[in-house]
Amino acid sequence: MKKVSILIPLYNSEKYIAQTIESALNQTWENKEVIVVDDGSTDNSLKIAKTYESDILKIYRQTNKGVCAARNYALKKATGEYIQYIDHDDIIDLDKIEKQMNYIISHNLSDADVVYSSYVNFYDDVNNILPYNSSHKDKSYDKPLELFNDMLIARSIILPASYLMHRNIIEQAGGWNEFLLNNEDGEFYARVMTKAASVHYVPKVKVYWRTTPGSLSKQVTADYLNFKYIAWTAIASILLKNNYSEKTKYACSQLLYDYITEFRPNNEKYLKPLEKFMRQNNIEFDTTGKSSMHKFLINTLGWRRTLLLKEKIKQHNHRKKNIL
């Protein structure tokens, strides 16, 4: 029976870490180990985790270096052939690993093949399920990067905990980018998919993604926008280099469109380099649903100048309305 290492990066999750650890320890796949790396927590997270320490569950601590460094450290300590990541506030079905490992065995998958399963988004209680976009689910891929195309077009994701893969793929991909302190998972899995031979969907398994108030993914700071810009342009570069097609270009346009429009005006400093990046990579600004005049301006002035012009006109009209 192949060994699976369950890796949990931990930082200030005293409210949830016990539930996460128990979902790992209670996995029905018998040959397993759990590696917890505390990333310099300042609350009671480490103390709670230590109550579960055993021959199966090992705990390590590092000074605060970020989730990527914690995951890389955990991988160095892991002895399993297959790797299961779980974030410190998420939960996985107790038979998640068993079903995915049985799929790998029954389908004679190689070390270069990756499996994944669905997730549900919940708030605090797993019975309080939130809406989520699952349009890219239920599919297996002979070309792994096509999964990324579908995710970007659907504006959805697959969680780190959804995947199960051989450690060789992670090592070949180069591990997690420790420079990225958030928005790191998409960039990592894009590199993983360049090393994978195929990706297989395993049904009847769920991962539970907790929506946590105040999490890093909800804090739009200058650093957040910087890491997102680096990660998302890296994803686009990986896709275009390794899976070039019209669909890939469209998928990249959707990814970057979200960055352009969702974070205004805080992303101001990134508009010009992003425009240059898109021009260099022949990525068009998506004008679906735009008026004829809007399309004309974009074609004439470019999307960046058009966006700034539109915002100035809106600000002018707002000031004029207040004066009147």
Side-chain angles (χ1 to χ4, degrees):
M1 178 181 283
K2 295 182 183 296
K3 187 174 185 179
V4 177
S5 294
I6 306 170
L7 311 185
I8 304 174
L10 171 60
Y11 180 73
N12 286 357
S13 186
E14 61 182 5
K15 185 176 179 181
Y16 308 116
I17 187 57
Q19 195 174 12
T20 298
I21 287 176
E22 287 174 9
S23 81
L25 284 175
N26 293 327
Q27 285 297 301
T28 55
W29 185 259
E30 293 183 3
N31 193 11
K32 62 181 178 288
E33 66 176 359
V34 182
I35 307 292
V36 177
V37 175
D38 181 77
D39 187 39
S41 292
T42 57
D43 63 1
N44 290 317
S45 295
L46 180 61
K47 182 179 179 181
I48 294 169
K50 278 187 170 294
T51 64
Y52 292 93
E53 201 164 15
S54 67
D55 292 338
I56 296 177
L57 188 145
K58 304 295 184 184
I59 297 176
Y60 301 91
R61 195 176 195 197
Q62 65 178 23
T63 56
N64 184 245
K65 298 178 182 178
V67 65
C68 291
R71 288 174 179 143
N72 285 340
Y73 186 22
L75 184 65
K76 290 178 182 177
K77 295 298 183 181
T79 60
E81 296 175 69
Y82 281 83
I83 301 300
Q84 167 71 64
Y85 290 107
I86 311 179
D87 284 348
H88 59 199
D89 54 358
D90 294 337
I91 303 167
I92 60 177
D93 277 344
L94 298 185
D95 59 355
K96 191 261 190 190
I97 292 175
E98 180 179 5
K99 284 183 177 177
Q100 289 186 329
M101 286 301 299
N102 286 340
Y103 183 98
I104 290 170
I105 294 167
S106 64
H107 288 75
N108 294 315
L109 300 188
S110 72
D111 295 352
D113 298 311
V114 175
V115 296
Y116 79 102
S117 296
S118 299
Y119 74 88
V120 294
N121 193 6
F122 74 100
Y123 179 76
D124 202 41
D125 189 310
V126 291
N127 295 314
N128 187 9
I129 302 300
L130 302 175
Y132 69 109
N133 188 334
S134 61
S135 59
H136 62 277
K137 304 294 194 304
D138 302 331
K139 292 178 65 176
S140 295
Y141 297 82
D142 291 329
K143 296 178 66 176
L145 285 173
E146 283 297 315
L147 170 60
F148 259 76
N149 282 344
D150 285 351
M151 284 194 293
L152 298 185
I153 292 170
R155 288 176 167 78
S156 187
I157 60 171
I158 294 175
L159 301 181
S162 297
Y163 294 102
L164 183 68
M165 69 189 73
H166 200 279
R167 66 181 301 141
N168 287 349
I169 301 179
I170 299 170
E171 291 167 352
Q172 290 169 15
W176 295 78
N177 184 347
E178 296 184 13
F179 174 77
L180 296 175
L181 300 182
N182 55 55
N183 287 280
E184 76 291 338
D185 50 344
E187 188 270 344
F188 169 72
Y189 283 104
R191 286 187 283 113
V192 163
M193 294 307 164
T194 67
K195 305 301 179 183
S198 64
V199 185
H200 297 256
Y201 175 79
V202 180
K204 299 180 180 179
V205 180
K206 282 191 173 59
V207 170
Y208 301 86
W209 180 29
R210 190 188 305 270
T211 295
T212 307
S215 69
L216 282 175
S217 63
K218 296 176 180 60
Q219 298 174 20
V220 183
T221 63
D223 283 343
Y224 176 89
L225 289 173
N226 182 49
F227 292 132
K228 184 177 282 291
Y229 174 82
I230 293 170
W232 285 16
T233 52
I235 291 169
S237 297
I238 291 168
L239 293 178
L240 292 168
K241 179 181 178 181
N242 296 278
N243 189 35
Y244 189 86
S245 69
E246 289 301 316
K247 181 180 178 181
T248 298
K249 288 199 298 181
Y250 177 69
C252 292
S253 76
Q254 300 306 293
L255 175 70
L256 300 179
Y257 182 88
D258 285 351
Y259 185 87
I260 293 165
T261 59
E262 188 176 345
F263 300 101
R264 296 294 301 137
N266 298 324
N267 62 357
E268 184 81 26
K269 63 181 285 189
Y270 298 101
L271 294 186
K272 186 173 287 188
L274 190 54
E275 184 179 48
K276 181 179 179 180
F277 175 85
M278 292 173 68
R279 190 185 309 117
Q280 289 173 337
N281 290 280
N282 198 25
I283 302 172
E284 296 183 1
F285 184 82
D286 187 12
T287 59
T288 303
K290 306 294 185 185
S291 67
S292 298
M293 176 58 71
H294 201 162
K295 291 179 181 179
F296 171 78
L297 290 173
I298 289 174
N299 290 332
T300 306
L301 303 176
W303 63 260
R304 181 176 64 86
R305 288 187 176 90
T306 300
L307 175 65
L308 296 177
L309 176 62
K310 182 180 178 182
E311 290 178 349
K312 286 183 179 179
I313 292 173
K314 185 180 292 186
Q315 290 170 4
H316 172 76
N317 290 338
H318 180 71
R319 286 194 298 268
K320 186 177 179 180
K321 181 178 180 180
N322 288 340
I323 292 173
L324 295 175

